Amino acid sequence: GTRTKSADVERADSGIGQMPARKWRNRASETLSSLQAWEAHRPCTDCGERDLPVETDVQNCNQRRADLCEKCRKRRTERKESVLEFVNTEASYGEDLRIIKEEFYLPMQAAGLLSQEQLQGIFSNIQELIDLNENFLEILQEEIDQALDQGDDDLMTVCIGEIFLEFVNMLPAFQTYCLQQSSSVNMLNALEKEKELLRIFLNVSQNDNTALRRMNLRSFLMAPLQRVTKYPLLLSRIIKATTEYHPDHSSLREAKSRIESHLEHINMKTKQEGNTWTLRSFRQDSKKKREVINIEMRETALKTVGWLREETRFVMEGSLQLAQPPDGQWVKKGSKTLKFQNMQVLLLVNMKRVSESSLESAEPGPVKDAVLVLIRDKNNGKFHLLREPLRLSNCIVSTDPDCDDTFELIEIRREAFVFRDSDRARTHHWFRQIRRYSRELGSWKKRRNALPNIMISTPHTRP
C-alpha cells in the first residue's frame, strides 16, 4: 500500500513549471507502470503463487484484498463460511440441549412424574453436555468477536482445531451419553406405556409447546448423537478451506482424527454390548448419501419457493413417475399409452409457525400455500427443476376407477400431468395428500361447473 501512495505524492508535487513538470510527470508514470508490473508479479500472501490479476487502477488495488490470488480469496470466503457454520450449528445444538432440560427434565421432576433414578436413566449425563457446550460456545464466540474487533473479517485468526483440542474432554461425555442411548429409549418407552400422566404430558408438550417445533422428546434426545457424528464433516470442511501453512491446519487434522477414533470406539463398545445401532454418519455409506441428497433437494425446493424455513413443512417427498398427456384424454386410452419419466417430487406446505421438523401429519396450523416441486434426477451433480412449482390452489386432482395405478393433476388454463408411484398404495397416499391441499386452498371451486368432464366430489370449504 505505501509504495502506491508515493506515486500519488509525486504526481501531486509536479506543478513547479512547464519543463520540470513534464519531467516529473514522466517519472511519475514510469514509477506507476513499474509499480503495476510489481503488483502483477508479487506473490499471494496465502499460497505464494504469482498469478495475481493485473490491476490498472491503483486506488482499486488498495481497496480490495490485493495481496491474494483469486483462488485464495475464494478459499478464505469458504473458510469463513465453514467456521461460522461450525459455531452456528454448535449454538443450535446448545438450544436443543436447553429445551431437553427446561421443557422436559425440570417440569417432569417438578411434577413428580418420574423418580430421580428414572430421570437419570432417561436423561443420562445431559447436564454435563450442557456445561461443556456452554463453555465451548463461549470460547468460540469470543474468538470470533476478537477477530472481528481486530479487523480480521475473514476470521483467519480463529483456530477451531486448537479450541476443539482444548475441549477434547467433550468426547468421553458424548461417549457416556451415546452408550446409554439404547437403554434410555427403552426405559422411556416402558414408562410411557405404564404411566398415563407421563403420556399426557409428552403429548401435550409436543402439540402445544411452540418451543418444541412439534418434535417429541425422543427426537430431542437424539441431538447429542447427531452432533457428535457431525463434527468430522464440519472439521473436514474447514480443513479443505485452510491452507497447510495456516497455524491451525495440524490442530484441525488432529481434532478430526481424535473424534473419528472416538466414534469408532463408541461403535465397538456398542457392538460388545449387543446393541444393533451404530454411529455410522461419519462413514461414506449409501444411507448417508441418500440423506444428503434429500437435504440438497429440500434446499433447492426452499430456494425456489422462497418461503421461510420455519414456516415450511415437507409433507411428502420421493420419486414419482410423471407423464404429460398430449391432449388430456389419458383416461379413455388408459395409462399404457403414456410415456413416463422418473422425477423427484416434493410436496411443500407453507404454514404459520410449523417447523420443517414436523413430519407427522398432526393437525396443522392454517395453510397459507401448498406447492409441488418437480425436480429432475441429478445431472452433473446438480438438481434441476422441471418447471416452476405447481401451486395446488390452481390445480384439480382426480383419479379414475379404470386406471387406479395413476392420478391426474390439472393446472387450470395450463397443462395436465399424470403421476404414479411404483407402489400402488404410495400412489394413493400421494393422491390423498395432494388432493387435500388443493381442496383446502382451491380458488377453482367457484369455476368447477366449467369443467364438467372431471370427477370432483364437493370440496371441503375453508372459512
Side-chain angles (χ1 to χ4, degrees):
T2 51
R3 296 207 196 188
T4 42
K5 281 181 189 142
S6 65
D8 291 340
V9 170
E10 285 173 1
R11 204 183 300 162
D13 291 346
S14 61
I16 307 159
Q18 273 299 303
M19 283 303 287
R22 195 170 297 134
K23 205 167 156 189
W24 275 106
R25 215 174 285 131
N26 290 344
R27 174 89 63 79
S29 71
E30 274 168 33
T31 310
L32 188 59
S33 54
S34 67
L35 262 173
Q36 283 169 355
W38 180 81
E39 284 278 305
H41 293 287
R42 82 194 188 294
C44 161
T45 45
D46 277 15
C47 68
E49 294 289 328
R50 294 176 179 269
D51 62 349
L52 297 180
V54 178
E55 272 292 355
T56 46
D57 183 347
V58 177
Q59 212 175 1
N60 196 18
C61 247
N62 292 337
Q63 284 168 359
R64 76 194 229 311
R65 289 181 283 172
D67 47 354
L68 289 176
C69 69
E70 195 57 47
K71 199 169 70 182
C72 288
R73 222 172 314 167
K74 196 175 166 197
R75 188 194 271 159
R76 279 196 177 199
T77 306
E78 283 166 6
R79 186 178 186 280
K80 181 182 181 175
E81 283 169 4
S82 309
V83 166
L84 289 174
E85 184 189 18
F86 188 101
V87 179
N88 293 338
T89 51
E90 187 67 28
S92 304
Y93 158 63
E95 187 60 18
D96 283 350
L97 292 181
R98 193 193 60 72
I99 286 172
I100 293 173
K101 182 183 175 181
E102 294 182 12
E103 309 294 338
F104 289 108
Y105 181 95
L106 292 177
M108 283 158 78
Q109 188 183 42
L113 289 177
L114 298 178
S115 70
Q116 200 52 44
E117 199 180 331
Q118 289 166 333
L119 287 168
Q120 171 65 38
I122 290 170
F123 295 95
S124 186
N125 61 330
I126 201 81
Q127 187 58 52
E128 186 185 13
L129 292 175
I130 290 172
D131 297 340
L132 284 163
N133 165 264
E134 280 175 2
N135 297 336
F136 188 37
L137 200 54
E138 193 183 338
I139 301 288
L140 288 169
Q141 205 55 65
E142 269 173 25
E143 282 281 302
I144 286 185
D145 294 344
Q146 194 180 337
L148 294 172
D149 288 347
Q150 290 170 350
D152 170 20
D153 287 348
D154 293 330
L155 308 182
M156 291 300 279
T157 53
V158 175
C159 293
I160 297 279
E162 252 174 57
I163 301 169
F164 194 98
L165 290 174
E166 277 174 38
F167 280 86
V168 92
N169 62 331
M170 289 192 301
L171 301 181
F174 276 113
Q175 183 171 312
T176 303
Y177 187 91
C178 291
L179 292 175
Q180 282 193 27
Q181 179 66 15
S182 262
S183 58
S184 72
V185 168
N186 291 342
M187 182 184 260
L188 178 61
N189 292 343
L191 288 167
E192 206 176 342
K193 279 191 189 120
E194 186 188 309
K195 295 176 178 282
E196 194 186 359
L197 280 176
L198 175 66
R199 210 162 49 241
I200 292 167
F201 168 77
L202 292 176
N203 280 337
V204 169
S205 298
Q206 186 180 345
N207 294 321
D208 297 349
N209 184 344
T210 50
L212 303 190
R213 315 191 295 277
R214 290 278 178 109
M215 278 159 64
N216 58 25
L217 173 56
R218 275 175 205 75
S219 308
F220 282 103
L221 290 174
M222 288 299 288
L225 280 77
Q226 289 162 344
R227 185 62 190 164
V228 76
T229 49
K230 192 96 190 279
Y231 282 136
L233 179 68
L234 293 167
L235 290 167
S236 290
R237 282 185 194 158
I238 303 173
I239 292 167
K240 198 177 163 196
T242 303
T243 136
E244 60 195 59
Y245 312 117
H246 192 283
D248 198 33
H249 195 269
S250 59
S251 298
L252 283 163
R253 294 190 87 87
E254 193 191 334
K256 182 172 178 268
S257 111
R258 292 280 276 275
I259 182 89
E260 284 178 339
S261 311
H262 238 87
L263 294 173
E264 286 286 0
H265 183 65
I266 294 171
N267 279 344
M268 189 185 73
K269 297 278 271 192
T270 314
K271 279 185 194 137
Q272 284 170 359
E273 289 176 19
N275 291 323
T276 48
W277 66 271
T278 52
L279 290 171
R280 275 241 187 88
S281 329
F282 68 102
R283 291 208 201 108
Q284 279 296 333
D285 60 22
S286 58
K287 184 164 183 277
K288 182 191 169 191
K289 282 184 183 155
R290 271 208 304 284
E291 286 165 4
V292 169
I293 284 172
N294 284 349
I295 291 163
E296 278 180 54
M297 284 204 307
R298 287 181 170 200
E299 291 302 326
T300 304
L302 259 182
K303 206 182 279 181
T304 309
V305 293
W307 297 343
L308 290 174
R309 191 181 295 272
E310 59 272 19
E311 290 182 358
T312 304
R313 186 163 152 213
F314 293 88
V315 178
M316 283 192 80
E317 56 193 79
S319 180
L320 274 181
Q321 294 178 327
L322 169 147
Q324 288 188 267
D327 52 6
Q329 297 294 311
W330 69 282
V331 174
K332 287 176 191 164
K333 295 177 189 165
S335 58
K336 289 189 181 79
T337 59
L338 291 170
K339 285 193 180 120
F340 282 90
Q341 56 176 319
N342 286 326
M343 192 66 52
Q344 295 295 333
V345 180
L346 293 94
L347 170 55
L348 273 69
V349 177
N350 191 355
M351 299 171 130
K352 293 187 177 78
R353 297 183 311 281
V354 176
S355 151
E356 72 173 72
S357 319
S358 163
L359 295 172
E360 302 90 297
S361 46
E363 212 31 54
V367 176
K368 290 195 277 187
D369 208 350
V371 297
L372 272 193
V373 178
L374 310 179
I375 295 177
R376 293 179 197 278
D377 276 345
K378 258 190 163 181
N379 182 19
N380 297 332
K382 285 207 171 134
F383 287 113
H384 296 284
L385 295 172
L386 175 71
R387 61 189 306 292
E388 74 260 41
L390 289 159
R391 299 211 166 269
L392 294 189
S393 54
N394 297 333
C395 294
I396 296 160
V397 193
S398 60
T399 52
D400 182 76
D402 300 334
C403 301
D404 71 342
D405 61 339
T406 54
F407 63 91
E408 185 178 40
L409 182 143
I410 294 181
E411 196 182 13
I412 293 168
R413 295 190 181 151
R414 301 238 2 224
E415 42 198 332
F417 298 88
V418 176
F419 289 101
R420 71 178 181 201
D421 192 291
S422 49
D423 174 60
R424 192 167 292 195
R426 254 186 91 71
T427 303
H428 289 175
H429 187 49
W430 272 102
F431 165 67
R432 283 194 301 273
Q433 289 283 13
I434 293 170
R435 183 182 59 179
R436 172 190 161 190
Y437 291 107
S438 78
R439 285 180 171 181
E440 205 166 339
L441 295 159
S443 54
W444 49 266
K445 289 194 277 271
K446 305 161 194 126
R447 300 199 299 274
R448 74 175 181 276
N449 297 335
L451 297 152
N453 301 328
I454 295 160
M455 305 168 305
I456 306 168
S457 52
T458 311
H460 148 76
T461 50
R462 263 160 53 81

